[in-house]
Amino acid sequence: MTDNNLYQEYKQLCETINYHNYLYNTLDQPIISDFDYDQLFNRLKEIEKNHPDWVTADSPSQRVGSAPLDRFVKVNHPAPILSLSNGFGSQETIDWYQRILKLDPRVAKADFVLEPKLDGLTVVLHYHAGQFALGATRGDGLVGEDITENLKTLRSLPLRIPVDKTLHMPEEIVVRGEAIIFKTDFEKLNAELASKGEKLYLNPRNTAAGSLRQLDSSVTAGRPLKLFIYQILQSSDPIPETQLGILEYLAKLGFPVTPLRWHADSIEEVITICEAAGVERHNWNYDADGLVIKINDQDLYRSLGAVGKDPRGALAYKYPGVEVETALTDIQVNVGRTGVLTPLAILEPVNISGVIVKQATLHNFDFIKEKDIRIGDRVLVKRAGEVIPYIIASLPEKRDGSQLPFSAPPCCPSCGAEIEKDPDQVAYYCVNASCPAQLTRTIENFASRGAMDIDGLGSQIVIQLVDNQLIHSAADLYALTKAQLLTLDKFGDKKADNLLQAIEASKQNPLFRLIIGLGIRGVGEVAARKLAEKFKNLDALKLSGFDDLRTVEGVGPNIAQSILDWLRQIQNQNLMENLRQYGVWPVVETKIEADQPLKLKGLTFVITGTLPNLSRDQAAELIRENGGTVSGSVSKKTSYLLMGADAGSKYAKALELGVPVIDENTLYDMLK
Ligand code: IVH
């Protein structure tokens, strides 16, 4: 056979196998036996072994995983990945409907689409010229992580989709969906592990999420992940004007879409469907803790806008969680960041729909009294989706006389200081501003992933630092020395160096992260981003008044007051001064584009290999600051491949597509 004929055969084989993959994995309707499929696949591998240069990214053999990564690259999403607000039960659903009806009278005539609320990991998939080019996690909704290699191993993910202008098959499209594990696949996976005497997975959701966040994609390839796509985030072509139309269109492009969906003409019909599906859902092959109700008409959906991260035009109808009985072995009292004392139930560990629950909240001390909950009681615990489990009731009929009543402690369990009851609320507070438990929570919040993201500064280390009086505020973190860290339990050279490095690196965080880290009551990510955008630095925020604060989107009167209260406190003023001294003083730069054109505007870069000076994150940041875009994989749209030592397959891809390759110095030249 000539090479040319063999090449034709090879291309044909790729097509055929991809088609059978689609029939089997996306439509669940195979037409050939597993044996015949394996024959085709073996032939493909044989040809590829002799002609490695023929292998392209969409070959079915590319789904087996590639060389492990050392870390995930960050990816900007083309549009914010919004979340959903929850409605528990029918009444909250009707309340939602009334709210949006008030905003727009068109809601009265609206129809709805309902889909199962899949419980897995959100993924964002980019296609360029019909090729799967990039896949990312949700991350914080604006920036996710590049998990392209892992996603390629999902057999229901199309590596190629049709492109045809006349049929509105788009050249560029970004879609969103959920990667999940079916119940039957999960049971099979666990049965295999059990037969090998290995540790079992707890539930499909965590297993799905964990499987996709692997640096080694061959691990992902071994996990039975499925995919359902339900949203188009961006497209180069017009997209259908209804959610039902979008689902059909996505299916036409070859994406797996949920076969389970409902259409309702009124809110009454919506509720009937939700209630009926509440019973039915136990027969589905995946976990769904609710249904997603969506306004079908996209124009109306869009014009309703969003509250924070939740679009108004959709609602997650959540089913009540599962209740289980267990023993309450103790009640601990936790001191929160603001000094509030919360009772925590310590439970005999119990499995609630795949999650081992050892603790549950008891809300407040009045609740314990009202419900007559005693230490040693049998109690009912409930867990609804991702919400923290809570105690519903005790079972007094099961008492044997050994149970002990509980009352609020006379003083703070952490520092022994006086306790005050808030007259308007049920909460008790520790009034000691330097209470170590409060400080611990404050530092935990400061270092957390959503705030200053200090890797390696977990709860246990924070407790050690506070107990040993090495820190008295978040600013003290920046004065820690290696010698101090080495005096702590389980601290060696490497661990101390890593922590100090992570603390130092956190100085580069943008202002909104620092604002989240300050822990002002009511200021979450959305408000922090808006505050940073408006005030640009902490000096301006310090000078703000109630009215200034109220002009910030998402800052209502309570949050504005809470910010002012926070700023007024002397220890917080000291904290800010100390942060400034240590160089933790991020400023939002205002770029005046007309004077200083952004040098990399309109250019898309892919970064690969180890650069001589910059980390990949730093290089990406530099590119973005100068108006460029950073993408995770090379396509025809890539302007430059920025390459360092030990580059991998991206280099080959750039050569194949004729994408220019540059080094770090050339990047600096471009910025001059
Ligand atoms: S629509 C802006 N549809 O549930 C539109 N989300 O609790 C919002 N989810 O973050 C998403 N199944 O990851 C939508 N059929 C479905 C879904 C779904 C699961 C997830 C999604 C979202 C989360 C919100």
Side-chain angles (χ1 to χ4, degrees):
M1 195 185 258
T2 64
D3 252 12
N4 194 13
N5 283 346
L6 189 64
Y7 184 71
Q8 291 309 327
E9 181 195 341
Y10 171 68
K11 280 286 149 201
Q12 185 59 49
L13 258 177
C14 283
E15 289 279 330
T16 312
I17 296 174
N18 275 334
Y19 179 62
H20 288 300
N21 269 341
Y22 170 74
L23 291 177
Y24 183 89
N25 296 296
T26 305
L27 300 186
D28 204 10
Q29 286 164 359
I31 54 167
I32 60 170
S33 67
D34 287 1
F35 178 78
D36 289 344
Y37 179 86
D38 290 345
Q39 299 278 71
L40 293 173
F41 209 91
N42 289 340
R43 174 72 183 141
L44 178 92
K45 283 206 294 208
E46 189 186 318
I47 302 180
E48 288 190 342
K49 204 167 125 210
N50 296 326
H51 297 274
D53 49 319
W54 289 354
V55 183
T56 52
D58 62 350
S59 158
S61 68
Q62 297 304 294
R63 293 188 188 269
V64 289
S66 61
L69 307 170
D70 51 0
R71 47 202 271 293
F72 294 115
V73 174
K74 300 260 190 279
V75 182
N76 286 331
H77 296 307
I81 309 299
L82 297 180
S83 186
L84 286 171
S85 55
N86 292 325
F88 289 92
S90 306
Q91 188 52 49
E92 289 193 19
T93 307
I94 293 172
D95 294 346
W96 162 71
Y97 176 78
Q98 299 292 357
R99 275 197 308 276
I100 56 171
L101 180 61
K102 253 194 222 149
L103 289 173
D104 194 323
R106 285 182 293 166
V107 170
K109 288 213 173 73
D111 60 330
F112 305 87
V113 178
L114 295 96
E115 299 162 20
K117 185 172 180 310
L118 306 163
D119 205 6
L121 185 80
T122 298
V123 293
V124 177
L125 314 177
H126 297 232
Y127 288 79
H128 296 305
Q131 297 275 0
F132 173 55
L134 173 68
T137 60
R138 176 177 189 279
D140 64 2
L142 297 174
V143 180
E145 283 178 330
D146 181 343
I147 52 163
T148 311
E149 293 306 321
N150 294 346
L151 283 166
K152 273 189 194 162
T153 69
L154 271 61
R155 290 174 187 276
S156 58
L157 180 147
L159 295 173
R160 205 143 40 91
I161 58 169
V163 174
D164 184 338
K165 272 268 153 227
T166 52
L167 297 170
H168 289 315
M169 301 299 199
E171 177 79 19
E172 301 286 327
I173 187 166
V174 184
V175 298
R176 168 189 181 174
E178 203 85 357
I180 59 169
I181 294 185
F182 279 2
K183 288 182 195 164
T184 41
D185 289 332
F186 182 74
E187 281 155 19
K188 219 161 86 193
L189 188 66
N190 263 350
E192 277 162 25
L193 289 174
S195 72
K196 287 192 243 160
E198 286 176 25
K199 204 167 156 232
L200 305 190
Y201 293 114
L202 270 179
N203 60 53
R205 201 214 96 85
N206 290 0
T207 314
S211 302
L212 278 168
R213 294 202 72 262
Q214 294 285 335
L215 290 168
D216 183 351
S217 52
S218 64
V219 175
T220 318
R223 306 271 169 86
L225 290 154
K226 296 281 193 303
L227 187 69
F228 286 118
I229 304 298
Y230 50 72
Q231 197 186 7
I232 300 175
L233 291 168
Q234 198 180 49
S235 174
S236 56
D237 272 69
I239 62 169
E241 263 310 307
T242 62
Q243 174 64 10
L244 272 185
I246 288 173
L247 290 175
E248 276 163 23
Y249 174 75
L250 285 168
K252 228 190 272 165
L253 289 175
F255 289 108
V257 294
T258 162
L260 266 185
R261 67 187 92 142
W262 300 261
H263 180 249
D265 279 314
S266 66
I267 194 67
E268 290 77 22
E269 233 182 284
V270 164
I271 285 168
T272 313
I273 293 167
C274 288
E275 287 174 355
V279 183
E280 264 307 301
R281 74 192 169 111
H282 300 292
N283 302 328
W284 302 343
N285 200 6
Y286 45 76
D287 290 323
D289 58 349
L291 295 191
V292 184
I293 309 167
K294 300 176 180 177
I295 296 244
N296 195 21
D297 176 17
Q298 292 297 289
D299 182 45
L300 177 55
Y301 173 85
R302 273 191 301 269
S303 75
L304 282 166
V307 188
K309 291 182 183 173
D310 304 332
R312 287 198 184 85
L315 181 78
Y317 180 105
K318 296 283 278 271
Y319 295 112
V322 184
E323 289 173 24
V324 247
E325 186 190 315
T326 187
L328 173 71
T329 53
D330 197 6
I331 297 179
Q332 270 181 13
V333 178
N334 275 354
V335 187
R337 191 151 46 84
T338 52
V340 64
L341 305 187
T342 35
L344 182 75
I346 308 298
L347 304 171
E348 198 175 278
V350 59
N351 185 328
I352 312 186
S353 46
V355 174
I356 304 290
V357 174
K358 296 181 192 154
Q359 298 183 335
T361 176
L362 282 158
H363 309 290
N364 53 58
F365 298 110
D366 286 4
F367 176 82
I368 300 178
K369 211 182 208 169
E370 272 161 29
K371 296 265 174 173
D372 185 25
I373 294 169
R374 302 184 190 180
I375 297 173
D377 265 346
R378 298 293 295 176
V379 288
L380 283 181
V381 188
K382 185 162 176 170
R383 191 183 146 258
E386 63 284 355
V387 186
I388 306 164
Y390 53 94
I391 304 279
I392 310 170
S394 63
L395 302 168
E397 65 279 13
K398 299 208 170 165
R399 284 183 187 147
D400 61 6
S402 68
Q403 285 69 24
L404 299 170
F406 179 83
S407 50
C411 56
C412 170
S414 169
C415 66
E418 206 182 307
I419 283 177
E420 258 177 26
K421 188 167 192 286
D422 188 326
D424 307 328
Q425 294 175 13
V426 285
Y428 287 82
Y429 287 89
C430 162
V431 292
N432 174 10
S434 44
C435 167
Q438 286 182 50
L439 179 59
T440 306
R441 298 286 107 74
T442 306
I443 307 287
E444 279 169 1
N445 170 67
F446 186 84
S448 66
R449 241 181 110 188
M452 297 294 272
D453 195 14
I454 305 180
D455 220 17
L457 191 53
S459 279
Q460 290 311 314
I461 296 178
V462 176
I463 292 171
Q464 275 187 298
L465 292 171
V466 172
D467 284 354
N468 287 285
Q469 306 206 8
L470 293 182
I471 52 174
H472 302 93
S473 79
D476 292 347
L477 288 171
Y478 297 92
L480 282 172
T481 63
K482 187 165 172 180
Q484 285 177 321
L485 291 181
L486 289 176
T487 63
L488 300 177
D489 200 25
K490 295 202 190 109
F491 256 90
D493 244 23
K494 189 153 174 55
K495 190 165 165 185
D497 283 340
N498 286 348
L499 181 56
L500 289 175
Q501 248 177 38
I503 292 173
E504 188 59 27
S506 73
K507 291 182 179 172
Q508 306 306 325
N509 275 315
L511 178 59
F512 82 90
R513 285 181 168 273
L514 177 60
I515 297 180
I516 301 174
L518 297 177
I520 305 171
R521 223 186 286 184
V523 178
E525 187 189 326
V526 175
R529 281 186 188 272
K530 297 284 174 204
L531 287 166
E533 217 171 87
K534 172 158 172 107
F535 293 104
K536 316 265 190 251
N537 59 54
L538 286 184
D539 281 317
L541 182 66
K542 275 194 317 201
L543 295 175
S544 65
F546 188 81
D547 295 337
D548 293 332
L549 289 166
R550 288 286 284 117
T551 62
V552 177
E553 197 187 315
V555 175
N558 292 337
I559 299 185
Q561 194 51 53
S562 142
I563 297 172
L564 292 177
D565 291 346
W566 192 93
L567 291 168
R568 204 173 295 137
Q569 286 193 38
I570 189 80
Q571 75 263 34
N572 293 334
Q573 290 175 6
N574 291 338
L575 168 69
M576 287 189 284
E577 266 331 293
N578 291 335
L579 285 170
R580 186 206 300 273
Q581 303 267 310
Y582 293 125
V584 192
W585 203 255
V587 169
V588 179
E589 280 173 35
T590 356
K591 293 211 172 74
I592 308 163
E593 273 196 43
D595 290 346
Q596 250 186 349
L598 293 171
K599 298 258 170 49
L600 306 181
K601 198 161 178 190
L603 299 177
T604 302
F605 291 76
V606 173
I607 309 170
T608 186
T610 313
L611 300 171
N613 300 304
L614 300 174
S615 74
R616 277 196 248 173
D617 271 349
Q618 287 168 333
E621 201 50 45
L622 184 65
I623 292 169
R624 288 195 197 102
E625 272 170 13
N626 287 283
T629 310
V630 179
S631 153
S633 62
V634 179
S635 74
K636 276 196 281 185
K637 298 267 153 175
T638 310
S639 321
Y640 294 100
L641 178 71
L642 171 60
M643 189 169 83
D646 300 325
S649 59
K650 288 179 183 158
Y651 178 50
K653 185 86 196 167
L655 287 183
E656 182 192 325
L657 297 175
V659 170
V661 179
I662 58 166
D663 62 6
E664 198 182 294
N665 281 332
T666 318
L667 177 70
Y668 295 139
D669 289 342
M670 292 168 84
L671 295 174
K672 273 184 195 154

